[in-house]
Amino acid sequence: MDEEPQRASLRGDRFLAHRGLIAVCCGTAMAEAGLLVLFAPAARGLAPQVTALPPLAIFHDLRWLYSTQRSWLWFALLLAGLVTARSALNTVLVRLAWPVHLTKPPLAALRGALVVTALACLMMSPLVSLTFGVAILPFSWPFLALLPAMLLIALPLSHAGAAGTWWRTLPPASAAWWLFAEFAVLTLAAAVAGALPAPDAVPVAGLAGLVNAWAWHGLTVAVARSSGPKPAGRQLAGQEPIGTEAARRELAGPEPADLELPGPTPTMVAAAVPAGPAALAAHRIPAGPMALAVVIATIIALTRLIFVLSGPIPVGHSAPAVAWVAGTGREAHAIAGAGHHPVLEIAGFGSWCCGQNQALAQALPGTVVQQFSYRGTNSRGQPLPYGWKAGNVSLPVLGDRIAAQVQRLHKLTGKPVDIVAESEGTLGVDAMIARHPHAPIGSVVLLSPIVAPGQSGYRGNSGTGLITGDELHALIWFVGGLSPFGTTGAQTLISSVNSVGARFAAAAAHHARVRLLEVVPLADAVTLPACLLPPNVVVIPAFHGELLSDPAALQTARRFLTGRTITGVPDLRATAEIVAAAASAWRMPESAAPSPPCVAGSGGSGSGPGKR
C-alpha cells in the first residue's frame, strides 16, 4: 500500500469499529473485578489494570505473583504461566486493535511478545520488591520514588507490545501520551472504586477497560503510522522483500549468463536500496535497550544524589541528655511538683542525639522534655548519645529501651510520661505498649505514624515465600550502598517489622488506657489503608518525617497534651482518604482492609483529638 493511502486509512480507522477489542478489554477487567469483590474486596482497585498497556499490566501481574508465591518451584511455575498468559493476551489485543485496512501481525508475533514480556518482568521486578517493602514498612518516601521510576522504565517499553521492532526504535510521542493517560485513568478508577460500595467496582472496571481499549487502539495506530512503508524500503510488486539474497541479486544487475535480460533501472535501485552503510548501521542500533539502560542509570544517579543532598549530618558525641524543663534549664527532679506531665521525645530513623532539635521543648514551655536514645541509657539512667545509624534495631529491643526510659523519667518526676514519637519511633511505641502494657504512660502523640505495618510479609505462615524476601534483601543492600547508612540499611528494622510489626500494632490499638492522637502528613496518605479514618487522626500538609520541626504539628501536639481542643488545623481527612484509595492502584494487593486505623477508635480508647 502506498504511503498516502495508508495514512488515509489510518485516519479513517474508527475506534468503535473494534468491537472485539472493546469486549475483551472491558470483559476481562470486569471479570477480575467480580472475583476481587468476592475474595479480596480491598484489592478491587487493581482490576482495571489487567488489560492496560503492557508495562502497567505487567506491574499488575507481578504484584499478584509476589503476594502469592511460596517457594522457588512454585514461583517459577507461576512466573512461566504469567509470562505466557500475558504474552498471549497482548498478542490478541494487538491484533484486535490493529487498523482494519492494514495486514494484521501474524500469530507468530507471540514469540516476540514472550521476549518483551520477560524483559518487562525483569525490569519491573525491583520496583515490585520495593512496593512489597512499602507494604511491610509503609511510609511515603519510597512509594513516591517508585511511581516516577516505574513510569520512566515503562516509557521505552510503551510500544513494545505492538511493535515487533521496538528494540531498534523509540516509542512515538503518542505512545508515551497513552501510557501517562492510562496511569491517570487507572489511578482515578481505583479512587472511585474505593469510594463506592464494593460491587460497584465491576462497572467501574468496565469503564476503565473501555479506556484501556482506546489506549490499545491509539497505540497500534501510532505504531502502524511510524512503521509504515518508506520510499527507501518499498517492496516491488512480485519481488521478495528488500534485504533478501534474491532481491540483492536482482538489484545488482544481470549475471554474465543472463546478459540478454534487462537489468534494473537506476530509478528502481534508488527506490529500493537503503541509503548506504550509515542507514544499515542505524537500522541495527538497539535504541530500545539503550533507552532502558539510560533510564536505569538515571534512576541510580538520582537516588545517590538525593541521599547526598538530604542525608543526615554526622555529629560528634555530645554530652548525655538529662531531662530539662523547657525554657528554664533546670533539671527535672527540681520540679517534680510541676503541673505538666513529663514528655519523652522519640525521633525517627536517621536522627541523632542529643539536643539537635529544641522545637518540641520550645512548644511546651514549663514541661520536662527528654529525648529518647536508640542506644539506651547509661548507668545513671541518662540517654546515651547516638548517631544516625542507631535506628537500625529490632522492635522488641526498641520497645524495651523506650519502656526503660519511660520508667526512669516517671521515677524522676513522679508523674505519668507523655510521649511524642515520630516515624520509626511510633513503631517503638507500639512495641513498648505490647510488651509493657502497664508502663506509666499518659497521652501519646504519633507524628508521621507508621500506620498498619506488616500488611504483607515473607518467610512466615502468612508470608509470601523465599523469593520475595531474598529480592527485597538484595534491593536493601543495593540502595543502602548508595546511602549514608551502608549496605545493611534498615535491614534489621524491616525484618523485625516483617516478623512482629503487625502483632505489636494490633496490641497497641486495643490498649484502652492510652489517649492517642495521630498527626499524619498528607504525603503519607499514599500508604494509608483505603478506608475512613477514625476521629483521633489529624492530617496536615507536610511530608513524612518533618513534623518534629513543623509549627502546625507541634501546635497540634501541644494543645492535645494540655487537654485543649485542637483548632487551626486544615481539615484534610477527606483528601487523605481519596489519596489513599487512588494510591491503592499501585500498592501491593490486600485481601482485606487492615483493622488499624480503619475502625473508629482504633489505636487507643477511641476518644477524639479534643477529648480527654
Side-chain angles (χ1 to χ4, degrees), residues 313-338:
I313 301 174
V315 295
H317 291 285
S318 54
V322 296
W324 292 93
V325 182
T328 66
R330 289 177 292 162
E331 290 191 34
H333 60 73
I335 58 151

Side-chain angles (χ1 to χ4, degrees), residues 51-453:
T51 53
L53 294 180
L56 302 181
I58 289 169
F59 190 69
H60 158 275
D61 298 344
L62 287 178
R63 280 178 290 157
W64 281 112
L65 173 65
Y66 276 51
S67 65
T68 57
Q69 50 85 17
R70 289 292 186 274
S71 66
W72 277 104
L73 177 60
W74 189 232
F75 176 80
L77 293 175
L78 287 177
L79 180 60
L82 182 155
V83 171
T84 303
R86 175 55 58 189
S87 302
L89 179 59
N90 286 351
T91 301
V92 170
L93 292 175
V94 169
R95 289 178 59 83
L96 292 173
W98 204 259
V100 294
H101 300 294
L102 298 180
T103 303
K104 296 181 183 297
L107 289 177
L110 177 60
R111 182 175 58 184
L114 287 169
V115 174
V116 169
T117 303
L119 176 63
C121 287
L122 180 64
M123 294 294 101
M124 290 291 180
S125 179
L127 297 181
V128 177
S129 294
L130 182 58
T131 309
F132 184 81
V134 171
I136 296 175
L137 189 61
F139 68 107
S140 58
W141 285 116
F143 184 82
L144 294 175
L146 78 85
L147 289 183
M150 179 193 70
L151 291 175
L152 282 174
I153 291 176
L155 191 56
L157 297 170
S158 58
H159 65 315
T165 57
W166 71 271
W167 63 273
R168 53 182 171 82
T169 61
L170 295 177
S174 54
W177 186 92
W178 280 114
L179 176 71
F180 293 129
E182 276 257 87
F183 176 81
V185 169
L186 294 173
T187 303
L188 178 62
V192 174
L196 298 175
D200 292 340
V202 176
V204 170
L207 292 174
L210 181 63
V211 177
N212 291 341
W214 192 13
W216 272 104
H217 177 259
L219 173 66
T220 53
V221 169
V223 169
R225 182 182 296 114
S226 63
S227 61
K230 302 294 187 293
R234 287 179 182 163
Q235 179 179 333
L236 301 180
Q239 291 181 327
E240 295 184 56
I242 298 304
T244 64
E245 183 61 29
R248 282 197 294 270
R249 287 200 307 268
E250 180 180 353
L251 295 174
E255 295 291 335
D258 301 320
L259 290 177
E260 70 276 12
L261 297 179
T265 65
T267 303
M268 293 171 59
V269 175
V273 177
L280 291 175
H283 186 76
R284 298 190 184 101
I285 293 176
M290 287 177 63
L292 277 174
V294 170
V295 165
I296 294 172
T298 301
I299 293 173
I300 294 174
L302 288 177
T303 302
R304 175 59 179 164
L305 181 63
I306 290 172
F307 279 125
V308 169
L309 295 179
S310 61
I313 301 174
V315 295
H317 291 285
S318 54
V322 296
W324 292 93
V325 182
T328 66
R330 289 177 292 162
E331 290 191 34
H333 60 73
I335 58 151
H340 296 162
H341 290 175
V343 173
L344 181 64
E345 174 188 345
I346 309 174
F349 189 86
S351 62
W352 53 276
C353 180
C354 295
Q356 80 278 15
N357 184 5
Q358 298 295 328
L360 179 63
Q362 294 170 2
L364 296 170
T367 302
V368 177
V369 178
Q370 186 181 72
Q371 187 173 349
F372 168 74
S373 171
Y374 281 88
R375 289 182 58 211
T377 57
N378 59 20
S379 58
R380 294 178 295 173
Q382 297 173 332
L384 296 171
Y386 66 87
W388 33 267
K389 296 183 180 181
N392 188 27
V393 295
S394 67
L395 292 187
V397 171
L398 181 57
D400 292 347
R401 289 177 180 175
I402 292 175
Q405 201 161 334
V406 165
Q407 291 285 1
R408 192 262 177 184
L409 198 51
H410 168 67
K411 182 178 180 180
L412 186 65
T413 62
K415 293 181 174 59
V417 177
D418 293 340
I419 295 177
V420 177
E422 183 167 40
S423 190
E424 182 187 356
T426 67
L427 294 171
V429 171
D430 288 345
M432 180 201 65
I433 294 174
R435 292 172 60 85
H436 305 273
H438 302 294
I441 57 176
S443 299
V444 175
V445 178
L446 304 182
L447 306 177
S448 300
I450 305 296
V451 175

